[in-house]
């Protein structure tokens, strides 16, 4: 088959190229910031900030649209 022959040629060329790559020692990096985490800071939230863009009725209830996926 033609595809198998082409694949064989590609693999042979790749093998020859790999043989030309010189052997080198493994490089290791010493990094001191592994698993570094940030500190979570809790910001004060006020209802006025949250409800600023919400639709509110006269009793100060939030008006929200029912999910379209529910019946």
């Amino acid at each position: 088959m033609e595809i198998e022959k082409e694949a064989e040629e590609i693999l042979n060329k790749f093998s020859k190229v790999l043989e030309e790559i010189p052997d080198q020692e493994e490089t290791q990096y010493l990094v001191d910031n592994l698993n570094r985490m940030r500190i979570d800071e809790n910001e004060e939230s006020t209802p006025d900030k949250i409800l600023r863009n919400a639709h509110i009725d006269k009793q100060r209830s939030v008006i929200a649209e029912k999910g379209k996926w529910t019946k």
Side-chain angles (χ1 to χ4, degrees):
M1 296 219 171
E2 189 174 331
I3 294 175
E4 290 178 359
K5 290 179 185 177
E6 289 178 8
E8 186 83 23
E9 289 176 18
I10 291 171
L11 288 174
N12 289 335
K13 289 179 184 178
F14 186 66
S15 296
K16 288 178 185 177
V17 170
L18 287 178
E19 289 174 2
E20 296 174 8
I21 297 175
D23 290 334
Q24 294 182 351
E25 291 184 27
E26 184 177 335
T27 305
Q28 296 181 359
Y29 298 98
L30 298 176
V31 180
D32 66 346
N33 63 355
L34 294 176
N35 297 328
R36 192 164 284 197
M37 300 178 71
R38 67 176 172 85
I39 299 171
D40 286 334
E41 296 177 2
N42 191 8
E43 294 181 13
E44 278 190 40
S45 61
T46 58
D48 295 334
K49 239 182 183 181
I50 296 169
L51 299 174
R52 190 177 301 158
N53 292 323
H55 298 287
I56 301 174
D57 64 7
K58 293 178 183 176
Q59 289 85 23
R60 303 249 327 135
S61 298
V62 175
I63 301 171
E65 181 180 330
K66 182 178 178 182
K68 293 180 182 178
W69 64 92
T70 60
K71 292 184 178 180

